């Protein structure tokens, strides 16, 4: 337990790993033990945010959340695109080898399939693969991604530089994806990472009661957000390949 916590694995994920080894313990008991024995700390309080319209906003971030283990057993850090529906908090994680404009478009295409439709507004952070120049009023969007957004019918509302509260729900998404989804896992291929992330989004995170909404994100999304989405694309988007 101490080794996993030192590597940043969440205590809830440590409990899952213990169960795989046949150790059954409630989270409350494990937490009390960790606080008493390992000086396990308490999380910081969250800031409540006003709700938007269901199906309107999809917030997007990217971060180092998983590690690829090669045949020699060496770990290589990899990134993922993380989408969070602003009202229901339902989440989609798309692991990638590299963060590029092309992988951002591929991630969006996979997100529309996962959610069953297109959100009207995408709120990314100021990654250079999407936002060439940050500006409070007129950010400069990468032409390739802007053309894609126009083709799929959604608007881009980039966050202000160094203003994490503009997409505060997503700012806290990287850590749980890294720790709860991928923490302690041995991932040997991109395909395995994608399959594991999708299962986590649907069956674990999606079916866990959210501390703010007090609802299950997946059921909340299906009831209130999915019916409000734009129709999912029927055609495949021809993603440009950089030379």
């Amino acid at each position: 337990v101490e080794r996993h916590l030192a590597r940043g694995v969440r205590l809830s994920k440590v409990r899952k790993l213990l169960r795989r080894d046949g150790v059954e313990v409630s989270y409350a008991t494990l937490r009390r033990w960790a606080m008493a024995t390992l000086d396990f700390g308490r999380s910081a309080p969250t800031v409540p945010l006003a709700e938007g319209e269901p199906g309107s906003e999809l917030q997007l971030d990217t971060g180092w959340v998983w590690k690829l283990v090669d045949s020699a057993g060496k770990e290589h850090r990899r990134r993922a695109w993380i989408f969070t529906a602003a009202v229901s908090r339902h989440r989609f994680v798309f692991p990638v080898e590299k963060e590029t404009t092309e992988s951002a478009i591929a991630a969006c295409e996979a997100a529309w399939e996962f959610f069953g439709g297109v959100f009207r507004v995408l709120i990314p952070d100021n990654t250079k693969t999407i936002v060439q120049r940050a500006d409070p009023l007129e950010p400069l969007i990468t032409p390739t991604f802007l053309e894609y957004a126009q083709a799929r019918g959604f608007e881009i509302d980039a966050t202000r530089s160094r203003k994490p509260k503009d997409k505060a729900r997503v700012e806290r998404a990287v850590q749980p994806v890294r720790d709860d989804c991928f923490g302690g896992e041995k991932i040997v291929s991109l395909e395995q990472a994608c399959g594991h992330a999708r299962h986590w989004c649907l069956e674990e995170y999606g079916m866990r009661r959210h501390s703010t909404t007090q609802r299950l994100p997946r059921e909340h999304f299906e009831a209130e957000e999915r019916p409000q989405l734009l129709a999912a694309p029927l055609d495949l988007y021809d993603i440009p390949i950089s030379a």
Side-chain angles (χ1 to χ4, degrees):
V1 173
E2 184 176 20
R3 185 175 66 254
H4 280 306
L5 292 177
R7 296 182 63 186
V9 180
R10 296 184 68 182
L11 190 63
S12 57
K13 185 57 181 284
V14 173
R15 177 172 175 258
K16 295 180 184 178
L17 297 173
L18 289 173
R19 292 180 65 185
R20 292 183 190 176
D21 291 335
V23 180
E24 289 288 346
V25 58
S26 70
Y27 179 80
T29 298
L30 180 61
R31 184 173 182 272
R32 285 196 300 269
W33 177 85
M35 292 176 65
T37 309
L38 304 177
D39 197 28
F40 180 71
R42 300 177 183 273
S43 60
T46 58
V47 178
L49 300 172
E51 299 294 347
E53 296 181 2
S56 176
E57 296 182 356
L58 183 66
Q59 299 180 350
L60 173 62
D61 204 353
T62 179
W64 300 100
V65 297
W66 66 287
K67 294 179 180 179
L68 178 68
V69 182
D70 63 22
S71 57
K74 186 177 180 180
E75 295 181 337
H76 305 270
R77 290 200 309 164
R78 294 291 186 264
R79 301 180 73 87
W81 294 98
I82 305 170
F83 300 81
T84 303
V87 173
S88 66
R89 275 65 158 187
H90 195 27
R91 184 163 290 161
F92 174 62
V93 178
F94 189 76
V96 293
E97 288 282 356
K98 295 181 179 180
E99 181 185 328
T100 64
T101 302
E102 291 77 14
S103 74
I105 293 174
C108 287
E109 288 290 275
W112 310 144
E113 182 275 328
F114 177 84
F115 289 116
V118 178
F119 284 76
R120 290 171 174 78
V121 180
L122 183 70
I123 307 178
D125 66 1
N126 286 295
T127 170
K128 293 296 185 180
T129 58
I130 296 178
V131 184
Q132 284 187 348
R133 186 186 70 241
D135 185 90
L137 299 178
E138 296 182 355
L140 181 62
I141 306 300
T142 302
T144 300
F145 196 85
L146 179 60
E147 180 180 339
Y148 169 70
Q150 292 170 343
R152 290 308 190 216
F154 65 88
E155 297 180 5
I156 304 169
D157 185 9
T159 58
R160 294 169 293 173
S161 181
R162 293 181 292 277
K163 295 291 184 179
K165 289 185 179 180
D166 284 0
K167 56 175 184 58
R169 299 184 187 97
V170 169
E171 284 300 320
R172 295 181 62 87
V174 173
Q175 181 180 344
V177 170
R178 182 187 65 224
D179 298 341
D180 190 59
C181 178
F182 289 108
E185 303 289 345
K186 183 177 180 180
I187 305 296
V188 298
S189 69
L190 179 60
E191 292 73 18
Q192 180 190 358
C194 290
H196 179 75
R198 189 181 185 94
H199 175 83
W200 179 82
C201 291
L202 289 173
E203 305 301 334
E204 296 186 38
Y205 173 84
M207 299 305 291
R208 185 184 307 149
R209 194 168 302 280
H210 194 276
S211 59
T212 300
T213 66
Q214 291 300 307
R215 299 179 66 175
L216 308 182
R218 180 178 170 185
E219 293 184 356
H220 190 176
F221 168 78
E222 292 291 344
E224 296 188 16
E225 296 212 88
R226 184 166 185 163
Q228 306 303 322
L229 299 182
L230 303 174
L234 298 177
D235 59 319
L236 296 177
Y237 187 79
D238 187 12
I239 301 175
I241 304 299
S242 298

